[in-house]
Amino acid sequence: MTLLGTYEDGDYRAEFGTLAVRGFWPAGVGGTGELRHLNLPLLAEDAFAAGARSDVARAGAGWVLGTAAAHAHVRLEAYDAAPGRDAAGWNDVLETPFLTSRGEIKLTHARGGDSPWNLKLARPGLHRLRVLRRRTSDGHRWLLQFWPVTGSPEAPRFLARSRPAVSTDRPGHGDKRFGPLAMDVLSVALWSPGRHTRAALAERLLATPEQIREALRYLTRRGMLRVGGADAGPASTIALVPERPRPPNAGAVTVAQPWRTAAR
């Protein structure tokens, strides 16, 4: 494992509470080989722009968006192989796939203002990204580590959370409190479409099977996901099929049916 390059900004100002790192992935380009099973248009940055935000971060084809304090210290690192998993001192740790067709990334802002410097990655294509975040006295400190991988993408996985996957201190918000976890579930479905169990999703996202059930209902109510198969309990297998939500003014709208489960 070799550190190929770094970029650091000790005075990053997060617009709209968003940390943004962008690479490049041309619109309309589909996947081949180990990426052929992915619906890459749904991994575009704007595919679910109206959805909730992850409590930590999500990534896709040419973008990473993190939930950040107004002021942050951000460090990007490029490796040729997976760096050691040393998460000591970090409150939140997430690993996720990331795609770039040019093999370089740039720290940007929510509205697109770029830093003047690109960080070159090991090569174009599929990477694994480790996102580490901790609270500081004046905001957040972030470390984003990128390294190339081969084969089918491994779905996102949380290694540490600084707070529960679902907030318990927001009375009156209804199912909206499941929104951040729901977007993490959606990320798993986007990068690894197909068959899962609620128990496996809960383990991957550091949540409970009951929280995963409510997150799935959140997604199906909003037309972001279809869930196939009968849920007879946390260990039963269900199919996850992501879908782009219908624009609100696109004519007659078919209301998505909430996913019904037998297990409680």
Side-chain angles (χ1 to χ4, degrees):
M1 176 272 296
T2 301
L3 177 63
L4 303 177
T6 66
Y7 176 78
E8 197 158 356
D9 186 341
D11 191 29
Y12 180 83
R13 302 290 172 167
E15 297 174 342
F16 310 110
T18 300
L19 178 145
V21 175
R22 293 184 173 97
F24 179 77
W25 190 270
V29 173
T32 59
E34 298 291 348
L35 302 180
R36 63 184 179 276
H37 66 294
L38 299 179
N39 187 334
L40 288 175
L42 293 186
L43 283 166
E45 183 176 344
D46 63 350
F48 297 94
R53 293 190 294 181
S54 168
D55 271 336
V56 179
R58 297 179 60 235
W63 58 273
V64 183
L65 298 178
T67 300
H71 177 264
H73 184 125
V74 183
R75 178 178 170 91
L76 312 179
E77 296 180 345
Y79 291 86
D80 63 352
R85 188 180 284 182
D86 182 7
W90 297 97
N91 304 122
D92 298 289
V93 184
L94 163 71
E95 288 189 3
T96 178
F98 168 77
L99 281 170
T100 173
S101 63
R102 290 182 179 170
E104 58 186 34
I105 55 174
K106 189 178 278 193
L107 182 63
T108 69
H109 291 88
R111 290 180 289 192
D114 292 349
S115 65
W117 197 80
N118 288 7
L119 175 63
K120 291 189 177 297
L121 303 182
R123 62 171 183 256
L126 180 64
H127 282 70
R128 192 74 175 168
L129 162 63
R130 184 179 301 145
V131 179
L132 303 100
R133 185 186 71 178
R134 69 170 175 259
R135 176 68 68 174
T136 63
S137 60
D138 61 346
H140 277 142
R141 188 175 185 96
W142 293 78
L143 173 61
L144 284 77
Q145 301 173 316
F146 297 80
W147 66 92
V149 291
T150 58
S152 297
E154 181 193 346
R157 176 182 291 277
F158 274 84
L159 305 178
R161 282 187 183 271
S162 60
R163 59 183 185 178
V166 176
S167 172
T168 59
D169 58 357
R170 299 177 64 192
H173 283 75
D175 76 340
K176 290 183 179 179
R177 65 194 183 98
F178 292 95
L181 176 61
M183 299 310 288
D184 295 330
V185 172
L186 180 62
S187 288
V188 172
L190 288 166
W191 284 110
S192 184
R195 305 184 75 78
H196 299 265
T197 68
R198 284 196 287 118
L201 289 169
E203 185 273 334
R204 180 171 290 277
L205 299 177
L206 299 185
T208 67
E210 293 72 24
Q211 290 170 339
I212 296 295
R213 181 185 63 215
E214 296 304 320
L216 289 168
R217 286 175 172 166
Y218 176 100
L219 294 167
T220 57
R221 287 188 186 107
R222 289 159 177 80
M224 298 180 185
L225 188 74
R226 283 190 290 114
V227 180
D231 178 20
S236 64
T237 302
I238 52 178
L240 305 184
V241 183
E243 295 187 316
R244 186 186 293 269
R246 189 183 180 95
N249 298 316
V253 176
T254 300
V255 178
Q257 295 299 310
W259 178 54
R260 301 183 184 280
T261 63
R264 291 289 176 183

